[in-house]
Amino acid sequence: MAGAASLKAEEVNNAPINSISTDRLANSRSKLDPAIVHLQVLLDRAGSSPGVIDGRYGENLGKAIAGFEAMQRLPVDGKLDADVIARLTDDAPAIQPYVISEGDGKDLVERIPKDYAEQAKMHHLGYTSIAEKLAERFHMGIDLLKALNPGAAFAAGETVSVAVPGAPRSGKAKRIEAHKQSGQVMAFAEDGSLLAVYPATIGSKESPSPTGTHKVKGVARMPTYTYNPKINFQQGNNRKILKLPSGPNNPVGTVWIDLTDPTYGIHGTPNPELIGKAGSHGCVRLTNWDVEELAGMVKPGVVVEFVD
């Protein structure tokens, strides 16, 4: 996004989602659209995650609309129509002010090196800036955060505009479906109702995900990551086993949901903007905030089915 791009909170809050036409969707692939931001926030609140709230139309937004249709037991086509609009609750501003606290500036790191050997020397793979931390907390793309706050220093005491996504979904998941072709993870309650839907990266051609049915073995929050080139993949010139510290910029993010199939899991990511766009090494990758929400709804024994 060009540095000159900017957006006002009022533009987003006052942008009617019923103004989003097919042509407008096409145009929003290359530029910020306040109505798209508004729509993404409403879908997030409804439990059908658009992934990163970024103000642009893409596959993850279509997945979120389709997920919402499934949750509402509407015909599923991923298109924004009158039935979808009528059922989206819009009772609070999508963008609200937030005062940056002193705590927001804690536990930051100067940078995250790409090389795993360098990462292994660090104590914590934390956020590199307050802006990055806030973008993730409020489910936003950092470009959108900066567009809403042109000229902001992102320092303690400053008031900035942020998206207001939904509170974490509650309930107990009985079953999880990982849909490989659509790139979606769906969590179902015991009565069969759909609790939440998330955009996901599920394996790749080089490293396909498991097949069939498995179970959740356990949940690890803020996990460390053990890199083993003989089991995982080759990263740079690293040919030795390395233990990488925990943190949101850890290769598996802030949560690892362990599956009964060895080495496979559902986990977070240091690059939420790549969900659904870049392959994983066989696992199921969600944004950190989505996997944190899912982890709160699962316990050991929950069935995970990989659907082709």
Side-chain angles (χ1 to χ4, degrees), residues 235-288:
Q235 200 264 355
N237 296 318
N238 293 308
R239 305 188 186 282
K240 297 181 180 180
I241 295 175
L242 298 169
K243 186 175 181 179
L244 277 56
S246 64
N249 275 311
N250 177 288
V252 295
T254 57
V255 172
W256 173 270
I257 300 176
D258 199 25
L259 302 184
T260 48
D261 192 328
T263 77
Y264 290 105
I266 303 172
H267 62 82
T269 178
N271 303 113
E273 70 281 358
L274 296 182
I275 292 296
K277 300 174 185 177
S280 73
H281 296 286
C283 291
V284 178
R285 185 189 297 151
L286 308 177
T287 66
N288 282 338

Side-chain angles (χ1 to χ4, degrees), residues 30-298:
S30 58
K31 65 178 183 178
L32 291 173
D33 188 317
I36 297 295
V37 178
H38 198 154
L39 173 61
Q40 288 173 322
V41 171
L42 297 186
L43 288 164
D44 187 294
R45 291 176 182 172
S48 188
S49 171
V52 176
I53 297 170
D54 59 5
R56 288 182 167 81
Y57 179 73
E59 287 187 10
N60 285 346
L61 179 56
K63 293 176 188 179
I65 295 170
F68 180 74
E69 290 171 326
M71 294 177 79
Q72 294 290 316
R73 294 183 169 85
L74 293 169
V76 177
D77 60 11
K79 296 180 180 179
L80 185 66
D81 56 28
D83 286 335
V84 171
I85 292 170
R87 297 196 188 197
L88 280 169
T89 301
D90 190 5
D91 57 3
I95 305 295
Q96 293 184 13
Y98 173 80
V99 180
I100 299 174
S101 70
E102 292 285 347
D104 291 326
K106 294 182 177 179
D107 298 322
L108 302 180
V109 298
E110 186 176 344
R111 69 185 187 94
I112 302 293
K114 291 183 179 180
D115 191 279
Y116 279 4
E118 293 298 314
Q119 290 187 22
K121 297 175 184 177
M122 299 175 67
H123 296 293
H124 179 62
L125 293 172
Y127 296 113
T128 58
S129 66
I130 289 176
E132 183 187 11
K133 181 184 283 190
L134 295 183
E136 186 142 317
R137 181 184 305 165
F138 297 107
H139 306 183
M140 303 171 69
I142 197 163
D143 284 348
L144 174 60
L145 179 65
K146 291 182 176 180
L148 284 165
N149 300 283
F154 294 101
E158 189 174 17
T159 299
V160 294
S161 294
V162 298
V164 186
R169 305 289 285 178
S170 60
K172 295 181 180 180
K174 180 72 174 179
R175 179 170 56 90
I176 295 170
E177 289 182 358
H179 291 256
K180 297 181 182 181
Q181 291 206 354
S182 65
Q184 288 175 297
V185 166
M186 300 182 173
F188 293 87
E190 190 165 6
D191 64 1
S193 61
L194 194 49
L195 291 170
V197 184
Y198 311 105
T201 296
I202 306 174
S204 65
K205 289 183 179 179
E206 296 77 18
S207 302
S209 61
T211 58
T213 300
H214 307 273
K215 290 184 178 180
V216 170
K217 193 175 179 181
V219 173
R221 289 176 171 80
M222 283 297 172
T224 58
Y225 176 75
T226 300
Y227 164 75
N228 186 336
K230 293 183 179 179
I231 296 177
N232 306 124
F233 55 94
Q234 182 66 48
Q235 200 264 355
N237 296 318
N238 293 308
R239 305 188 186 282
K240 297 181 180 180
I241 295 175
L242 298 169
K243 186 175 181 179
L244 277 56
S246 64
N249 275 311
N250 177 288
V252 295
T254 57
V255 172
W256 173 270
I257 300 176
D258 199 25
L259 302 184
T260 48
D261 192 328
T263 77
Y264 290 105
I266 303 172
H267 62 82
T269 178
N271 303 113
E273 70 281 358
L274 296 182
I275 292 296
K277 300 174 185 177
S280 73
H281 296 286
C283 291
V284 178
R285 185 189 297 151
L286 308 177
T287 66
N288 282 338
W289 55 87
D290 284 343
V291 76
E292 287 166 9
E293 179 179 271
L294 181 62
M297 296 189 288
V298 303

